[in-house]
Amino acid sequence: MVFLAEVGREVRRGLLRLVWLLALAFAPLGAAFGTPQRETARPPEASSLTAAQARAYAEVLKLRPDDARSQLKDASAGTLLVLDAAAITELLVTQDAGLYEATVAGQNRRLAQLEKTPERGALPEYARAEIRLHQAAAQVVFGHEVQGAWSLRQAYQQMAAVVQRYPTYLPARKTLGLMQFFIGSLPEGYRWFLKLLGLPGSVEGGLRNLRAAARQPNDFQPEARILLALVEETYYKKPDEGLQLIRQLHQQQPDNLLYAYLLVSLHKKQHHTEAALAAYRARPTGPGYVALPYLRHMAADLLLYQGEYAASRRENELFLQQYKGQHYRKDAWFKLYLAAWLSGDAPAAERYRRQIAAGGRTVVEEDTYAQRFVESRLPLNPLLTRARLQIDGGYYREALATLAGFRSTAATPLRDQLEDPYRRARAWHLLGRPDSARLLYARTIALAGNAPYYFAPQAALQLGYLYQLEGQRNTARVYFRKALSYPKHEYKNSTDTKAKLALKELE
């Protein structure tokens, strides 16, 4: 029974990881950019959205689902697809469990309507598979893993059938490619049950399909371009293309809240704190938009990087008040702890620390890290913590100045002994000093042994990237395999995924 319970947990984590990636990735991004089509009678074989549907989809894209719904009057396949995009976007953005039952019931109604529709062609079949995928996301994110697994299997098979029947219909290749890529990139420990479900992933096949949809004209080409850019930015160290694309789209549509979110997110990931905060403060607001409290959580991080501790606390407290989901709660309490602790407010820091274990879930890695911090009971070092935040914010020279005050002794915990050279390596790496970074990454690995911290696995991953960039492919392989070899640490899933994909690139 213990074994079965553990298997159940691993299945749940794997499905959540896969569908969470898909949920974040396939938020409706695209039809609004196509050239609006003339209002004409739908042909017997439907393969594209009408102008009215495209305008409604543009409102979904801006995170204004009520405005989208007000523009849709018929029950054609395109309309059902856009209505479902509005519903799943609202559910996943708000993480409001109170919307779950109505969302799934609406999906079932729309699927039943599509089964009976007289329309023929690629669009009705694509809409059916896409809505089923939306349903898988809803079910898994809200704890219905068995139903979600079945829905994911149906969506995959249906989308593969659309591609086989309509090989030139590129929107289906966009979604199938996305599923293929994320299934193929899952760590090995999560893939056995997907094979049992008949979900064959393929990183190479997924990228081929996604690139075909991104590079050739179709209703959803801009969506595919964004998805491809995000995949390449996250997993293939190609940040410039994605940021350039999102900047362009944001300039074209400053009233688009999704683009504002993506702009904040990409700037934050690339350590552009001031630019990210500027995008956050310029974000569109108003009663027509879906509440997006996660933006406040990101802003709290950015302010923490700058040492604006009181402002960071205000943003995270508002996030916790407004957010209805369970993910990122532990991370928010942890960041509140850091802001209070680093500002010298010990009573508040202790209150926040106790809250970390009190609620939320440990599916996303940030929450897992926060939970492990509580359970380890090992105090953080203030200098190393400040340096970490400065590096995350892009303040690399300031971080090196902070680290200059750190001194390791025989009594220094192993975790801190490892963090010191790792942080120095990151700062030099990001300052464009690879020789200094390599020495410090190697020192981190040598000191670590099999310690259950993420510093050595991350150091190995970064060394792999450095040697890959220099054309030393064999040495890069050694370090990517080294990154995969560590059995347990806080960021194992994401580290393993990146190392695995990097090895595939070197084949």
Side-chain angles (χ1 to χ4, degrees), residues 397 425 427-438 466:
R397 294 197 179 280
W428 287 120
H429 187 169
L430 293 164
L431 281 167
R433 296 278 297 276
D435 290 342
S436 298
R438 269 195 298 267
L466 284 171

Side-chain angles (χ1 to χ4, degrees), residues 248-480:
Q248 176 189 353
L249 296 174
H250 182 257
Q251 289 170 358
Q252 291 171 355
Q253 294 189 22
D255 64 338
N256 189 308
L257 182 56
L258 180 60
Y259 291 165
Y261 162 78
L262 289 171
L263 190 60
V264 174
S265 179
L266 286 179
H267 275 307
K268 180 174 180 284
K269 288 173 70 177
Q270 295 178 33
H271 313 287
H272 307 158
T273 294
E274 287 84 0
L277 278 171
Y280 169 71
R281 290 166 178 149
R283 71 195 185 281
T285 59
Y289 291 97
V290 174
L292 187 51
Y294 184 72
L295 272 167
R296 292 196 177 277
H297 184 45
M298 289 200 294
D301 275 357
L302 295 163
L303 293 162
L304 192 59
Y305 303 156
Q306 292 185 328
E308 299 288 343
Y309 300 129
S312 178
R313 286 170 68 175
R314 283 194 297 273
E315 290 289 353
N316 256 332
E317 285 167 351
L318 284 168
F319 164 70
L320 288 166
Q321 290 170 18
Q322 297 169 5
Y323 181 58
K324 298 184 179 183
Q326 293 301 307
H327 305 291
Y328 298 104
R329 285 190 172 275
K330 292 180 183 293
D331 185 50
W333 287 116
F334 175 62
K335 301 299 176 48
L336 282 164
Y337 165 81
L338 291 181
W341 174 60
L342 290 170
S343 63
D345 189 347
E350 178 57 22
R351 287 197 306 273
Y352 294 140
R353 190 191 68 78
R354 289 197 298 266
Q355 286 291 335
I356 295 171
R361 301 165 73 182
T362 54
V363 175
V364 298
E365 289 181 325
E366 292 89 340
D367 290 334
T368 301
Y369 182 90
Q371 184 67 26
R372 286 192 181 182
F373 160 72
V374 173
E375 293 172 353
S376 74
R377 299 186 177 276
L378 183 63
L380 296 173
N381 181 282
L383 289 175
L384 295 175
T385 302
R386 284 195 182 96
R388 174 187 180 176
L389 295 171
Q390 288 167 328
I391 291 168
D392 286 345
Y395 306 112
Y396 310 130
R397 294 197 179 280
E398 293 87 339
L400 288 169
T402 299
L403 289 166
F406 178 80
R407 295 291 182 273
S408 181
T409 69
T412 301
L414 176 60
R415 186 196 64 192
D416 295 352
Q417 293 181 43
L418 298 175
E419 185 169 3
D420 175 37
Y422 175 75
R423 297 294 172 212
R424 295 174 192 270
R426 290 299 293 146
W428 287 120
H429 187 169
L430 293 164
L431 281 167
R433 296 278 297 276
D435 290 342
S436 298
R438 269 195 298 267
L439 288 171
L440 290 159
Y441 284 139
R443 184 181 303 171
T444 304
I445 293 169
L447 285 170
N450 289 319
Y453 305 115
Y454 69 90
F455 308 117
Q458 276 290 309
L461 180 69
Q462 296 301 329
L463 279 171
Y465 287 138
L466 284 171
Y467 284 113
Q468 182 182 25
L469 189 63
E470 293 176 2
Q472 299 188 45
R473 297 168 66 87
N474 289 334
T475 307
R477 287 190 189 93
V478 168
Y479 282 108
F480 289 136

Side-chain angles (χ1 to χ4, degrees), residues 128-147:
R128 181 168 164 253
E130 192 84 359
I131 291 171
R132 186 63 76 185
L133 181 58
H134 294 174
Q135 189 167 76
Q139 289 166 333
V140 173
V141 169
F142 286 89
H144 302 273
E145 291 84 9
V146 174
Q147 298 97 315

Side-chain angles (χ1 to χ4, degrees), residues 181 184-185 203 235-236 496-506:
F181 176 83
S185 67
V203 168
Y235 297 104
Y236 294 103
D496 284 7
T497 298
K498 290 173 182 177
K500 176 184 171 183
L501 291 172
L503 283 168
K504 282 187 174 294
E505 269 199 302
L506 293 171

Side-chain angles (χ1 to χ4, degrees), residues 156 179-185 191 195 199-204 206:
Y156 188 102
M179 288 192 282
Q180 289 172 323
F181 176 83
F182 281 126
I183 291 170
S185 67
R191 295 183 65 194
K195 291 180 181 178
L199 299 178
S202 169
V203 168
E204 299 85 355

